PDB file of all heavy atoms in Angstrom:
ATOM      1  N   VAL A 101       0.817  -1.193  -0.017  1.00  0.00           N
ATOM      2  CA  VAL A 101       0.015  -0.003  -0.065  1.00  0.00           C
ATOM      3  C   VAL A 101       0.838   1.241   0.044  1.00  0.00           C
ATOM      4  O   VAL A 101       1.823   1.457   0.844  1.00  0.00           O
ATOM      5  CB  VAL A 101      -0.910  -0.007   1.142  1.00  0.00           C
ATOM      6  CG1 VAL A 101      -1.650   1.320   1.276  1.00  0.00           C
ATOM      7  CG2 VAL A 101      -1.940  -1.124   1.170  1.00  0.00           C
ATOM      8  N   GLN A 102       0.604   2.125  -0.897  1.00  0.00           N
ATOM      9  CA  GLN A 102       1.388   3.391  -1.061  1.00  0.00           C
ATOM     10  C   GLN A 102       0.459   4.543  -1.052  1.00  0.00           C
ATOM     11  O   GLN A 102      -0.722   4.436  -1.320  1.00  0.00           O
ATOM     12  CB  GLN A 102       2.160   3.398  -2.408  1.00  0.00           C
ATOM     13  CG  GLN A 102       3.023   4.615  -2.629  1.00  0.00           C
ATOM     14  CD  GLN A 102       3.893   4.424  -3.753  1.00  0.00           C
ATOM     15  OE1 GLN A 102       4.578   3.439  -4.020  1.00  0.00           O
ATOM     16  NE2 GLN A 102       4.062   5.437  -4.587  1.00  0.00           N
ATOM     17  N   SER A 103       0.968   5.730  -0.594  1.00  0.00           N
ATOM     18  CA  SER A 103       0.204   6.962  -0.479  1.00  0.00           C
ATOM     19  C   SER A 103       1.082   8.060  -0.912  1.00  0.00           C
ATOM     20  O   SER A 103       2.271   7.961  -1.130  1.00  0.00           O
ATOM     21  CB  SER A 103      -0.413   7.162   0.866  1.00  0.00           C
ATOM     22  OG  SER A 103       0.671   7.311   1.834  1.00  0.00           O
ATOM     23  N   MET A 104       0.586   9.306  -0.949  1.00  0.00           N
ATOM     24  CA  MET A 104       1.302  10.450  -1.243  1.00  0.00           C
ATOM     25  C   MET A 104       0.810  11.697  -0.473  1.00  0.00           C
ATOM     26  O   MET A 104      -0.324  11.822  -0.149  1.00  0.00           O
ATOM     27  CB  MET A 104       1.120  10.735  -2.794  1.00  0.00           C
ATOM     28  CG  MET A 104       2.064  11.973  -3.280  1.00  0.00           C
ATOM     29  SD  MET A 104       2.056  12.291  -5.033  1.00  0.00           S
ATOM     30  CE  MET A 104       3.291  13.604  -5.131  1.00  0.00           C
ATOM     31  N   THR A 105       1.805  12.477   0.000  1.00  0.00           N
ATOM     32  CA  THR A 105       1.451  13.754   0.641  1.00  0.00           C
ATOM     33  C   THR A 105       0.925  14.775  -0.271  1.00  0.00           C
ATOM     34  O   THR A 105       1.190  14.744  -1.435  1.00  0.00           O
ATOM     35  CB  THR A 105       2.716  14.263   1.329  1.00  0.00           C
ATOM     36  OG1 THR A 105       3.708  14.586   0.374  1.00  0.00           O
ATOM     37  CG2 THR A 105       3.296  13.242   2.391  1.00  0.00           C
ATOM     38  N   ASN A 106       0.226  15.705   0.284  1.00  0.00           N
ATOM     39  CA  ASN A 106      -0.182  16.916  -0.450  1.00  0.00           C
ATOM     40  C   ASN A 106       0.235  18.169   0.287  1.00  0.00           C
ATOM     41  O   ASN A 106      -0.291  19.257  -0.002  1.00  0.00           O
ATOM     42  CB  ASN A 106      -1.723  16.930  -0.701  1.00  0.00           C
ATOM     43  CG  ASN A 106      -2.534  16.996   0.606  1.00  0.00           C
ATOM     44  OD1 ASN A 106      -1.963  16.936   1.729  1.00  0.00           O
ATOM     45  ND2 ASN A 106      -3.797  17.251   0.459  1.00  0.00           N
ATOM     46  N   THR A 107       1.286  18.106   1.150  1.00  0.00           N
ATOM     47  CA  THR A 107       1.815  19.213   1.649  1.00  0.00           C
ATOM     48  C   THR A 107       2.938  19.819   0.778  1.00  0.00           C
ATOM     49  O   THR A 107       3.482  19.035  -0.097  1.00  0.00           O
ATOM     50  CB  THR A 107       2.594  18.764   2.956  1.00  0.00           C
ATOM     51  OG1 THR A 107       3.598  17.820   2.749  1.00  0.00           O
ATOM     52  CG2 THR A 107       1.610  18.310   4.001  1.00  0.00           C
ATOM     53  N   ASP A 108       3.325  21.055   0.993  1.00  0.00           N
ATOM     54  CA  ASP A 108       4.475  21.598   0.350  1.00  0.00           C
ATOM     55  C   ASP A 108       5.628  20.936   1.015  1.00  0.00           C
ATOM     56  O   ASP A 108       5.920  21.128   2.236  1.00  0.00           O
ATOM     57  CB  ASP A 108       4.513  23.156   0.559  1.00  0.00           C
ATOM     58  CG  ASP A 108       5.728  23.841  -0.001  1.00  0.00           C
ATOM     59  OD1 ASP A 108       6.590  23.154  -0.640  1.00  0.00           O
ATOM     60  OD2 ASP A 108       5.782  25.108  -0.006  1.00  0.00           O
ATOM     61  N   THR A 109       6.452  20.134   0.242  1.00  0.00           N
ATOM     62  CA  THR A 109       7.622  19.472   0.841  1.00  0.00           C
ATOM     63  C   THR A 109       8.595  20.448   1.550  1.00  0.00           C
ATOM     64  O   THR A 109       9.231  19.971   2.517  1.00  0.00           O
ATOM     65  CB  THR A 109       8.360  18.647  -0.129  1.00  0.00           C
ATOM     66  OG1 THR A 109       7.330  17.802  -0.807  1.00  0.00           O
ATOM     67  CG2 THR A 109       9.433  17.786   0.410  1.00  0.00           C
ATOM     68  N   ALA A 110       8.622  21.776   1.203  1.00  0.00           N
ATOM     69  CA  ALA A 110       9.478  22.633   1.855  1.00  0.00           C
ATOM     70  C   ALA A 110       9.126  22.970   3.235  1.00  0.00           C
ATOM     71  O   ALA A 110       9.866  23.415   4.023  1.00  0.00           O
ATOM     72  CB  ALA A 110       9.649  23.971   1.012  1.00  0.00           C
ATOM     73  N   ASP A 111       7.775  22.742   3.540  1.00  0.00           N
ATOM     74  CA  ASP A 111       7.185  22.793   4.882  1.00  0.00           C
ATOM     75  C   ASP A 111       7.680  21.515   5.586  1.00  0.00           C
ATOM     76  O   ASP A 111       6.945  20.529   5.554  1.00  0.00           O
ATOM     77  CB  ASP A 111       5.685  22.948   4.831  1.00  0.00           C
ATOM     78  CG  ASP A 111       5.006  22.941   6.212  1.00  0.00           C
ATOM     79  OD1 ASP A 111       5.832  22.930   7.207  1.00  0.00           O
ATOM     80  OD2 ASP A 111       3.851  22.983   6.241  1.00  0.00           O
ATOM     81  N   ILE A 112       8.804  21.536   6.246  1.00  0.00           N
ATOM     82  CA  ILE A 112       9.298  20.403   6.859  1.00  0.00           C
ATOM     83  C   ILE A 112       8.474  19.679   7.929  1.00  0.00           C
ATOM     84  O   ILE A 112       8.135  18.561   7.872  1.00  0.00           O
ATOM     85  CB  ILE A 112      10.798  20.657   7.427  1.00  0.00           C
ATOM     86  CG1 ILE A 112      11.708  21.046   6.231  1.00  0.00           C
ATOM     87  CG2 ILE A 112      11.267  19.416   8.178  1.00  0.00           C
ATOM     88  CD1 ILE A 112      13.126  21.559   6.732  1.00  0.00           C
ATOM     89  N   LYS A 113       8.014  20.528   8.846  1.00  0.00           N
ATOM     90  CA  LYS A 113       7.098  19.986   9.928  1.00  0.00           C
ATOM     91  C   LYS A 113       5.825  19.494   9.423  1.00  0.00           C
ATOM     92  O   LYS A 113       5.402  18.403   9.814  1.00  0.00           O
ATOM     93  CB  LYS A 113       6.874  21.059  11.020  1.00  0.00           C
ATOM     94  CG  LYS A 113       6.069  20.488  12.147  1.00  0.00           C
ATOM     95  CD  LYS A 113       5.675  21.588  13.208  1.00  0.00           C
ATOM     96  CE  LYS A 113       4.981  21.066  14.400  1.00  0.00           C
ATOM     97  NZ  LYS A 113       3.750  20.255  13.987  1.00  0.00           N
ATOM     98  N   GLY A 114       5.164  20.309   8.553  1.00  0.00           N
ATOM     99  CA  GLY A 114       3.891  19.794   7.966  1.00  0.00           C
ATOM    100  C   GLY A 114       4.063  18.543   7.232  1.00  0.00           C
ATOM    101  O   GLY A 114       3.151  17.640   7.276  1.00  0.00           O
ATOM    102  N   THR A 115       5.126  18.367   6.429  1.00  0.00           N
ATOM    103  CA  THR A 115       5.341  17.103   5.698  1.00  0.00           C
ATOM    104  C   THR A 115       5.673  15.917   6.643  1.00  0.00           C
ATOM    105  O   THR A 115       5.234  14.792   6.440  1.00  0.00           O
ATOM    106  CB  THR A 115       6.413  17.311   4.689  1.00  0.00           C
ATOM    107  OG1 THR A 115       6.118  18.449   3.806  1.00  0.00           O
ATOM    108  CG2 THR A 115       6.663  16.035   3.829  1.00  0.00           C
ATOM    109  N   ILE A 116       6.487  16.227   7.686  1.00  0.00           N
ATOM    110  CA  ILE A 116       6.806  15.085   8.598  1.00  0.00           C
ATOM    111  C   ILE A 116       5.410  14.616   9.247  1.00  0.00           C
ATOM    112  O   ILE A 116       5.242  13.484   9.350  1.00  0.00           O
ATOM    113  CB  ILE A 116       7.726  15.614   9.678  1.00  0.00           C
ATOM    114  CG1 ILE A 116       9.117  15.800   9.142  1.00  0.00           C
ATOM    115  CG2 ILE A 116       7.780  14.691  10.912  1.00  0.00           C
ATOM    116  CD1 ILE A 116      10.086  16.440  10.075  1.00  0.00           C
ATOM    117  N   ASP A 117       4.642  15.710   9.745  1.00  0.00           N
ATOM    118  CA  ASP A 117       3.410  15.333  10.394  1.00  0.00           C
ATOM    119  C   ASP A 117       2.458  14.408   9.437  1.00  0.00           C
ATOM    120  O   ASP A 117       1.922  13.430   9.927  1.00  0.00           O
ATOM    121  CB  ASP A 117       2.565  16.614  10.744  1.00  0.00           C
ATOM    122  CG  ASP A 117       3.221  17.246  11.979  1.00  0.00           C
ATOM    123  OD1 ASP A 117       4.074  16.661  12.636  1.00  0.00           O
ATOM    124  OD2 ASP A 117       2.926  18.434  12.160  1.00  0.00           O
ATOM    125  N   GLN A 118       2.393  14.803   8.083  1.00  0.00           N
ATOM    126  CA  GLN A 118       1.405  14.071   7.174  1.00  0.00           C
ATOM    127  C   GLN A 118       2.085  12.722   6.882  1.00  0.00           C
ATOM    128  O   GLN A 118       1.325  11.715   6.846  1.00  0.00           O
ATOM    129  CB  GLN A 118       1.189  14.885   5.998  1.00  0.00           C
ATOM    130  CG  GLN A 118       0.070  14.239   5.162  1.00  0.00           C
ATOM    131  CD  GLN A 118      -0.360  15.068   4.080  1.00  0.00           C
ATOM    132  OE1 GLN A 118       0.067  14.949   3.009  1.00  0.00           O
ATOM    133  NE2 GLN A 118      -1.314  15.966   4.270  1.00  0.00           N
ATOM    134  N   VAL A 119       3.319  12.630   6.644  1.00  0.00           N
ATOM    135  CA  VAL A 119       4.018  11.314   6.343  1.00  0.00           C
ATOM    136  C   VAL A 119       3.763  10.346   7.540  1.00  0.00           C
ATOM    137  O   VAL A 119       3.448   9.176   7.341  1.00  0.00           O
ATOM    138  CB  VAL A 119       5.438  11.368   6.062  1.00  0.00           C
ATOM    139  CG1 VAL A 119       6.101  10.094   6.008  1.00  0.00           C
ATOM    140  CG2 VAL A 119       5.694  12.133   4.681  1.00  0.00           C
ATOM    141  N   ALA A 120       3.972  10.880   8.757  1.00  0.00           N
ATOM    142  CA  ALA A 120       3.803  10.119   9.924  1.00  0.00           C
ATOM    143  C   ALA A 120       2.394   9.573  10.090  1.00  0.00           C
ATOM    144  O   ALA A 120       2.127   8.461  10.478  1.00  0.00           O
ATOM    145  CB  ALA A 120       4.251  10.893  11.258  1.00  0.00           C
ATOM    146  N   ALA A 121       1.339  10.497   9.807  1.00  0.00           N
ATOM    147  CA  ALA A 121      -0.003  10.165   9.920  1.00  0.00           C
ATOM    148  C   ALA A 121      -0.352   9.060   8.786  1.00  0.00           C
ATOM    149  O   ALA A 121      -1.064   8.139   9.112  1.00  0.00           O
ATOM    150  CB  ALA A 121      -0.929  11.359   9.684  1.00  0.00           C
ATOM    151  N   LEU A 122       0.206   9.180   7.606  1.00  0.00           N
ATOM    152  CA  LEU A 122      -0.067   8.219   6.598  1.00  0.00           C
ATOM    153  C   LEU A 122       0.606   6.843   6.999  1.00  0.00           C
ATOM    154  O   LEU A 122      -0.033   5.709   6.781  1.00  0.00           O
ATOM    155  CB  LEU A 122       0.537   8.695   5.272  1.00  0.00           C
ATOM    156  CG  LEU A 122      -0.163   9.847   4.507  1.00  0.00           C
ATOM    157  CD1 LEU A 122       0.641  10.491   3.513  1.00  0.00           C
ATOM    158  CD2 LEU A 122      -1.514   9.482   3.967  1.00  0.00           C
ATOM    159  N   ALA A 123       1.773   6.895   7.514  1.00  0.00           N
ATOM    160  CA  ALA A 123       2.465   5.684   7.993  1.00  0.00           C
ATOM    161  C   ALA A 123       1.637   4.992   9.098  1.00  0.00           C
ATOM    162  O   ALA A 123       1.415   3.805   9.171  1.00  0.00           O
ATOM    163  CB  ALA A 123       3.863   5.955   8.362  1.00  0.00           C
ATOM    164  N   ARG A 124       1.168   5.903  10.061  1.00  0.00           N
ATOM    165  CA  ARG A 124       0.439   5.281  11.208  1.00  0.00           C
ATOM    166  C   ARG A 124      -0.925   4.655  10.688  1.00  0.00           C
ATOM    167  O   ARG A 124      -1.251   3.665  11.137  1.00  0.00           O
ATOM    168  CB  ARG A 124       0.064   6.522  12.148  1.00  0.00           C
ATOM    169  CG  ARG A 124      -0.741   6.004  13.349  1.00  0.00           C
ATOM    170  CD  ARG A 124      -1.034   7.162  14.305  1.00  0.00           C
ATOM    171  NE  ARG A 124      -1.977   6.748  15.359  1.00  0.00           N
ATOM    172  CZ  ARG A 124      -1.657   6.197  16.491  1.00  0.00           C
ATOM    173  NH1 ARG A 124      -0.368   5.894  16.705  1.00  0.00           N
ATOM    174  NH2 ARG A 124      -2.525   5.865  17.416  1.00  0.00           N
ATOM    175  N   ALA A 125      -1.522   5.241   9.605  1.00  0.00           N
ATOM    176  CA  ALA A 125      -2.620   4.565   9.054  1.00  0.00           C
ATOM    177  C   ALA A 125      -2.347   3.421   8.280  1.00  0.00           C
ATOM    178  O   ALA A 125      -3.317   2.593   7.928  1.00  0.00           O
ATOM    179  CB  ALA A 125      -3.313   5.685   8.110  1.00  0.00           C
ATOM    180  N   GLY A 126      -1.140   3.076   8.049  1.00  0.00           N
ATOM    181  CA  GLY A 126      -0.708   1.831   7.233  1.00  0.00           C
ATOM    182  C   GLY A 126      -0.111   1.883   5.916  1.00  0.00           C
ATOM    183  O   GLY A 126       0.153   0.913   5.365  1.00  0.00           O
ATOM    184  N   SER A 127       0.154   3.184   5.596  1.00  0.00           N
ATOM    185  CA  SER A 127       0.911   3.249   4.292  1.00  0.00           C
ATOM    186  C   SER A 127       2.337   2.646   4.407  1.00  0.00           C
ATOM    187  O   SER A 127       3.030   3.150   5.396  1.00  0.00           O
ATOM    188  CB  SER A 127       0.981   4.800   3.867  1.00  0.00           C
ATOM    189  OG  SER A 127       1.596   4.872   2.680  1.00  0.00           O
ATOM    190  N   GLU A 128       2.703   1.831   3.507  1.00  0.00           N
ATOM    191  CA  GLU A 128       3.953   1.159   3.614  1.00  0.00           C
ATOM    192  C   GLU A 128       5.123   1.861   2.780  1.00  0.00           C
ATOM    193  O   GLU A 128       6.321   1.691   3.014  1.00  0.00           O
ATOM    194  CB  GLU A 128       3.846  -0.228   3.132  1.00  0.00           C
ATOM    195  CG  GLU A 128       2.908  -1.100   4.090  1.00  0.00           C
ATOM    196  CD  GLU A 128       2.372  -2.379   3.451  1.00  0.00           C
ATOM    197  OE1 GLU A 128       1.687  -2.302   2.452  1.00  0.00           O
ATOM    198  OE2 GLU A 128       2.618  -3.419   4.086  1.00  0.00           O
ATOM    199  N   ILE A 129       4.699   2.759   1.870  1.00  0.00           N
ATOM    200  CA  ILE A 129       5.521   3.614   1.188  1.00  0.00           C
ATOM    201  C   ILE A 129       4.869   4.935   0.907  1.00  0.00           C
ATOM    202  O   ILE A 129       3.661   4.984   0.689  1.00  0.00           O
ATOM    203  CB  ILE A 129       5.940   3.041  -0.254  1.00  0.00           C
ATOM    204  CG1 ILE A 129       6.709   1.720  -0.184  1.00  0.00           C
ATOM    205  CG2 ILE A 129       6.788   4.093  -1.049  1.00  0.00           C
ATOM    206  CD1 ILE A 129       6.925   0.975  -1.430  1.00  0.00           C
ATOM    207  N   VAL A 130       5.614   6.059   1.178  1.00  0.00           N
ATOM    208  CA  VAL A 130       5.004   7.360   0.960  1.00  0.00           C
ATOM    209  C   VAL A 130       5.778   8.229  -0.025  1.00  0.00           C
ATOM    210  O   VAL A 130       6.983   8.367   0.056  1.00  0.00           O
ATOM    211  CB  VAL A 130       4.874   8.139   2.346  1.00  0.00           C
ATOM    212  CG1 VAL A 130       4.332   9.589   2.189  1.00  0.00           C
ATOM    213  CG2 VAL A 130       4.045   7.265   3.336  1.00  0.00           C
ATOM    214  N   ARG A 131       4.962   8.863  -0.986  1.00  0.00           N
ATOM    215  CA  ARG A 131       5.642   9.627  -1.996  1.00  0.00           C
ATOM    216  C   ARG A 131       5.479  11.088  -1.628  1.00  0.00           C
ATOM    217  O   ARG A 131       4.456  11.478  -1.248  1.00  0.00           O
ATOM    218  CB  ARG A 131       5.076   9.270  -3.385  1.00  0.00           C
ATOM    219  CG  ARG A 131       5.579  10.141  -4.523  1.00  0.00           C
ATOM    220  CD  ARG A 131       5.333   9.356  -5.877  1.00  0.00           C
ATOM    221  NE  ARG A 131       3.949   9.043  -6.202  1.00  0.00           N
ATOM    222  CZ  ARG A 131       3.139   9.673  -7.002  1.00  0.00           C
ATOM    223  NH1 ARG A 131       3.609  10.524  -7.896  1.00  0.00           N
ATOM    224  NH2 ARG A 131       1.850   9.326  -7.235  1.00  0.00           N
ATOM    225  N   ILE A 132       6.613  11.869  -1.806  1.00  0.00           N
ATOM    226  CA  ILE A 132       6.571  13.363  -1.593  1.00  0.00           C
ATOM    227  C   ILE A 132       6.952  14.048  -2.943  1.00  0.00           C
ATOM    228  O   ILE A 132       7.755  13.569  -3.703  1.00  0.00           O
ATOM    229  CB  ILE A 132       7.457  13.754  -0.423  1.00  0.00           C
ATOM    230  CG1 ILE A 132       8.898  13.288  -0.686  1.00  0.00           C
ATOM    231  CG2 ILE A 132       6.846  13.082   0.858  1.00  0.00           C
ATOM    232  CD1 ILE A 132       9.899  13.767   0.446  1.00  0.00           C
ATOM    233  N   THR A 133       6.496  15.185  -3.057  1.00  0.00           N
ATOM    234  CA  THR A 133       6.845  16.014  -4.299  1.00  0.00           C
ATOM    235  C   THR A 133       8.213  16.720  -4.097  1.00  0.00           C
ATOM    236  O   THR A 133       8.414  17.345  -2.999  1.00  0.00           O
ATOM    237  CB  THR A 133       5.692  17.095  -4.461  1.00  0.00           C
ATOM    238  OG1 THR A 133       4.483  16.478  -4.633  1.00  0.00           O
ATOM    239  CG2 THR A 133       6.095  18.003  -5.640  1.00  0.00           C
ATOM    240  N   VAL A 134       9.065  16.565  -5.051  1.00  0.00           N
ATOM    241  CA  VAL A 134      10.374  17.214  -5.052  1.00  0.00           C
ATOM    242  C   VAL A 134      10.319  18.098  -6.323  1.00  0.00           C
ATOM    243  O   VAL A 134      10.839  17.638  -7.345  1.00  0.00           O
ATOM    244  CB  VAL A 134      11.468  16.275  -4.919  1.00  0.00           C
ATOM    245  CG1 VAL A 134      12.829  17.002  -4.824  1.00  0.00           C
ATOM    246  CG2 VAL A 134      11.404  15.304  -3.811  1.00  0.00           C
ATOM    247  N   ASP A 135       9.814  19.310  -6.273  1.00  0.00           N
ATOM    248  CA  ASP A 135       9.627  20.110  -7.380  1.00  0.00           C
ATOM    249  C   ASP A 135      10.559  21.347  -7.588  1.00  0.00           C
ATOM    250  O   ASP A 135      10.543  22.011  -8.658  1.00  0.00           O
ATOM    251  CB  ASP A 135       8.213  20.609  -7.554  1.00  0.00           C
ATOM    252  CG  ASP A 135       7.760  21.343  -6.170  1.00  0.00           C
ATOM    253  OD1 ASP A 135       8.503  21.359  -5.214  1.00  0.00           O
ATOM    254  OD2 ASP A 135       6.756  22.001  -6.275  1.00  0.00           O
ATOM    255  N   ARG A 136      11.195  21.656  -6.398  1.00  0.00           N
ATOM    256  CA  ARG A 136      12.131  22.776  -6.530  1.00  0.00           C
ATOM    257  C   ARG A 136      13.312  22.682  -5.593  1.00  0.00           C
ATOM    258  O   ARG A 136      13.236  21.741  -4.662  1.00  0.00           O
ATOM    259  CB  ARG A 136      11.408  24.090  -6.267  1.00  0.00           C
ATOM    260  CG  ARG A 136      10.780  24.271  -5.009  1.00  0.00           C
ATOM    261  CD  ARG A 136       9.708  25.376  -4.995  1.00  0.00           C
ATOM    262  NE  ARG A 136       9.302  25.840  -3.617  1.00  0.00           N
ATOM    263  CZ  ARG A 136       8.512  25.213  -2.912  1.00  0.00           C
ATOM    264  NH1 ARG A 136       7.882  24.055  -3.301  1.00  0.00           N
ATOM    265  NH2 ARG A 136       8.191  25.700  -1.704  1.00  0.00           N
ATOM    266  N   ASP A 137      14.191  23.588  -5.577  1.00  0.00           N
ATOM    267  CA  ASP A 137      15.379  23.418  -4.808  1.00  0.00           C
ATOM    268  C   ASP A 137      15.087  23.386  -3.237  1.00  0.00           C
ATOM    269  O   ASP A 137      15.604  22.657  -2.377  1.00  0.00           O
ATOM    270  CB  ASP A 137      16.353  24.620  -5.014  1.00  0.00           C
ATOM    271  CG  ASP A 137      17.754  24.317  -4.464  1.00  0.00           C
ATOM    272  OD1 ASP A 137      18.406  23.350  -4.754  1.00  0.00           O
ATOM    273  OD2 ASP A 137      18.139  25.164  -3.556  1.00  0.00           O
ATOM    274  N   GLU A 138      14.132  24.293  -2.843  1.00  0.00           N
ATOM    275  CA  GLU A 138      13.702  24.366  -1.375  1.00  0.00           C
ATOM    276  C   GLU A 138      13.116  22.924  -0.923  1.00  0.00           C
ATOM    277  O   GLU A 138      13.474  22.483   0.160  1.00  0.00           O
ATOM    278  CB  GLU A 138      12.667  25.368  -1.191  1.00  0.00           C
ATOM    279  CG  GLU A 138      13.177  26.888  -1.306  1.00  0.00           C
ATOM    280  CD  GLU A 138      12.993  27.273  -2.764  1.00  0.00           C
ATOM    281  OE1 GLU A 138      12.711  26.388  -3.655  1.00  0.00           O
ATOM    282  OE2 GLU A 138      13.243  28.486  -3.013  1.00  0.00           O
ATOM    283  N   ALA A 139      12.408  22.243  -1.767  1.00  0.00           N
ATOM    284  CA  ALA A 139      11.809  20.876  -1.489  1.00  0.00           C
ATOM    285  C   ALA A 139      12.915  19.903  -1.338  1.00  0.00           C
ATOM    286  O   ALA A 139      12.984  19.155  -0.449  1.00  0.00           O
ATOM    287  CB  ALA A 139      10.811  20.573  -2.524  1.00  0.00           C
ATOM    288  N   ALA A 140      13.899  20.013  -2.336  1.00  0.00           N
ATOM    289  CA  ALA A 140      14.998  18.904  -2.351  1.00  0.00           C
ATOM    290  C   ALA A 140      15.847  19.163  -1.095  1.00  0.00           C
ATOM    291  O   ALA A 140      16.251  18.208  -0.527  1.00  0.00           O
ATOM    292  CB  ALA A 140      15.883  19.168  -3.594  1.00  0.00           C
TER     293      ALA A 140
END
C-alpha cells in the first residue's frame, strides 16, 4: 500500500506530520513532491 502527501515539501514540519499520519494509518511507502530546490 502506497500513498502520497499533499503538503508543500519545503514545509518540513507539515510534511513530517502528514507522512507520519499516513504511515500510522498503514501506508507502507509514501511519495513526496520534489519540485524545486527548497523541497529538495
Side-chain angles (χ1 to χ4, degrees):
V101 172
Q102 184 170 313
S103 63
M104 185 175 183
T105 60
N106 62 351
T107 58
D108 179 359
T109 304
D111 174 6
I112 295 172
K113 183 181 182 305
T115 303
I116 289 173
D117 288 345
Q118 191 171 93
V119 171
L122 291 165
R124 180 179 172 84
S127 182
E128 294 161 300
I129 297 174
V130 178
R131 181 158 55 111
I132 60 177
T133 300
V134 187
D135 58 343
R136 65 193 195 279
D137 193 62
E138 294 85 351

